[in-house]
Amino acid sequence: MAEVLDLVLRLVLILAVFLVLPLIVGQTEHKVMAHMQSRLGPMYAGGFHGWAQLIADGVKFMQKEDVVPAAADRRIFSIAPAVALVPYLVVLAVIPIGPGLVGTDLNVGLFFVLAVMGVGVLGSIMAGWSSGNKFSVLGGMRSAAQLVSYELPLVLAASSVAMAAGTLSLPGIVEAWEWWWLPWQAIGLAVFFIAGLAELRRPPFDMPIAESEIIMGPMTEYTGIRFALFLLAEYAGIVVLSALTTVLFLGGWQGPLLPGPVWTLIKVFALAFVVIWVRVSYPRLREDQLQKLAWLGLVPLALLQLAITGVVKVALA
Amino acid sequence: MCDMMRNVARIPGEGLAKGLAVTLRHMVNKSVTQQYPEVQPELPPRSRGVIALVEENCTVCMLCARECPDWCIYIDSHKETLPAPEGGRPRARNVLDRFAIDFSLCMYCGICIEVCPFDALFWSPEFEYAEHDILDLLHEKERLGSWVETVPPPPAHEVGAEPPKEIAAAERPARPSTGKTAEARPRRTEPADRTPGPAAESAPPREAGAAGEERPRRMAARDVRAIRPPGALPKKPEPEGAPPEEAEPRKPEAPESGTGGEEPPKSAARPERPGPEERPRRMTSANIRAIRPPGALPKKPEPKEPEPEEPESAEPESRRPEAQRPENGRGDEPPERPGSPDSGDSTS
């Protein structure tokens, strides 16, 4: 009974985190992006500096008509947002927030996380294909191409950390982490973060969405709550990517003075800020630049990181 | 490997870092957004928000209505005959019945304000008069009058700039030709007082005070300069040479063209009547000097004519005919407008 209660409690907590953190990140994005552009951003909803803007947005989205195009593949079209969103929820279940504070400690956690995150991209491919819209198909194809290109450096960079820690368990990696891993895994950190951004299709890697050329890519035909789910998936993706980077490369809950979970949250939000910052600062990459960056930049770098990790590991052993 | 390194070195390049620095700097700095409905914008004093009407100054000369490119000014008036003053004859003057500006037509060119010879129209920076019904954008004279209190003071003259003509004229009292200056003063000062808003009033007095200290010096050297401003110069020759000729022919014309021509000047001229006795003196004094002060200029024609009243009226007109006559072709039209009732009245 106690085990069941414990499990339920953990799941509820994870669900709460899953629902709250993306909203906070979304609100932060609104305000940070606005101030970086010398604007104020939302100022009215909720009274104090528009803190309730995303809630108001959610209410608005729910009231909107849910349109399914006649040419669409109805069933695929309907479940695509869920396919995009749920994997991030699942990933959160294995990410440790503090010592012992983890949904479940899988001993193949890293493998599990990378596999499930790849599924998230499937959502946008499904959405693109099922919409019966040429822009959506284009966007879906770009998503697929991006997934294929960037999954490789992502996995390579993550495996470098697994090599260094000698375990695939996420809490195990955090426990094995030492401060000097920062310079040691610096290249891996950069590769992992950039590749993760591309997986999320965040600017400057938002070629699949590219509203200036293919409207909204896979989301073109979506309205109302389904569209909101895609947006939520994007913010949840930011949270998951930041948390994963924190756990793998920044030592998770490790840090002086403050308790572990606080450190985790600080690092996660700092990384989320960087995600937003990069979005505001850089223009979108062209499709060929995108592929070039992955295959000529990130993959060799990730291999280099693997080599460095292996050499240092052997030298230390 | 080396190639890769180079590639890599290009990726986190200087440009990327600069981009991040720019956005970060903007985030830290204060944003430029003005929260308008909560915080009123600070508008420069010459902002063109709405047009204010000082009803007392309006003489129904119709200049504004004629010049308006959009024809969005509507003026109605009727004539009233004032009982004859002692030794005079009864005078007719125009009384403003309606003055309306249709801000749904107005293009805010400001020509009406530029052209108004009697300081009856002013810009106000007030701009919040949007309406749900376009018909409500037609502001009648009460509404136009209510904008007057929002008219800001005119910006101060630059340091060392010449004083305004009115003040220069008002400061001339010490001159030999006392008759003229005496007349000139009351005139110029009055319009200044009339100008709307506390601001307008406050500004000229300051300048006058400042100018007053300098008076002695100016008398000698600056008189000439004071006269020169382009507005004042061209008018002198006409009043001197032409006054009798022009003034008489106009009378017949005026009734035809309607109220626009004659009547306003009369109303403006009335306060000055007491002066007729002094005019002959001017004539005797050196003509040139007597003419020069901008305030005194228009009055010269008066002394020459036996009839004091009409020449006075001619002063303002003497300016107009130059500007108006070419337009008289147009001038015939205004009577047909909504404002036309005047013309009917005036002719009758």
Side-chain angles (χ1 to χ4, degrees), chain A residues 49-121:
Chain A
H49 285 255
W51 66 270
Q53 182 62 46
L54 285 191
I55 298 171
D57 280 348
V59 172
K60 181 197 73 176
F61 276 128
M62 276 190 282
Q63 291 168 343
K64 288 198 164 184
E65 184 185 3
D66 185 19
V67 178
V68 180
D73 184 339
R74 288 193 77 90
R75 188 172 302 160
I76 305 293
F77 185 86
S78 306
I79 63 171
V83 174
L85 182 59
V86 170
Y88 295 121
L89 174 61
V90 175
V91 168
L92 271 187
V94 298
I95 290 181
I97 292 180
L101 279 179
V102 59
T104 107
D105 182 4
L106 284 181
N107 54 6
V108 289
L110 182 57
F111 182 76
F112 174 80
V113 163
L114 293 176
V116 172
M117 271 186 78
V119 174
V121 183

Side-chain angles (χ1 to χ4, degrees), chain B residues 234-247:
Chain B
K235 297 168 189 173
K236 299 170 188 175
E238 305 165 2
E240 293 178 359
E245 303 164 3
E246 286 186 9

Side-chain angles (χ1 to χ4, degrees), chain A residues 32 35-36 38-40 43-44 273 277 280-282 293 296 300-301 304, chain B residues 1 4 7-8 11 16-17 19-20 23-24 26-27 31-33 35 38:
Chain A
V32 166
H35 282 276
M36 282 182 170
S38 289
R39 297 182 288 116
L40 291 177
M43 289 296 286
Y44 292 97
F273 174 79
W277 190 9
V280 179
S281 301
Y282 298 141
L293 174 66
L296 297 185
L301 272 180
L304 172 68
Chain B
M1 213 51 174
M4 294 172 203
N7 261 341
V8 172
I11 292 168
L16 294 181
L20 289 177
T23 46
L24 194 65
H26 277 265
M27 187 185 73
S31 64
V32 297
T33 305
Q35 290 199 279
E38 284 83 21

Side-chain angles (χ1 to χ4, degrees), chain B residues 169-189:
Chain B
E171 290 167 7
R172 298 287 156 74
R175 286 202 165 188
S177 61
T178 55
K180 288 182 187 176
T181 53
E183 281 187 4
R185 280 184 198 166
R187 243 212 184 179
R188 292 297 153 177
T189 53

Side-chain angles (χ1 to χ4, degrees), chain A residues 10-30:
Chain A
R10 282 169 192 254
L11 289 182
V12 167
L13 259 181
I14 288 170
L15 192 63
V17 166
F18 179 73
L19 291 179
V20 171
L21 282 192
L23 285 187
I24 297 176
V25 169
Q27 183 70 19
T28 312
E29 174 164 41
H30 272 112

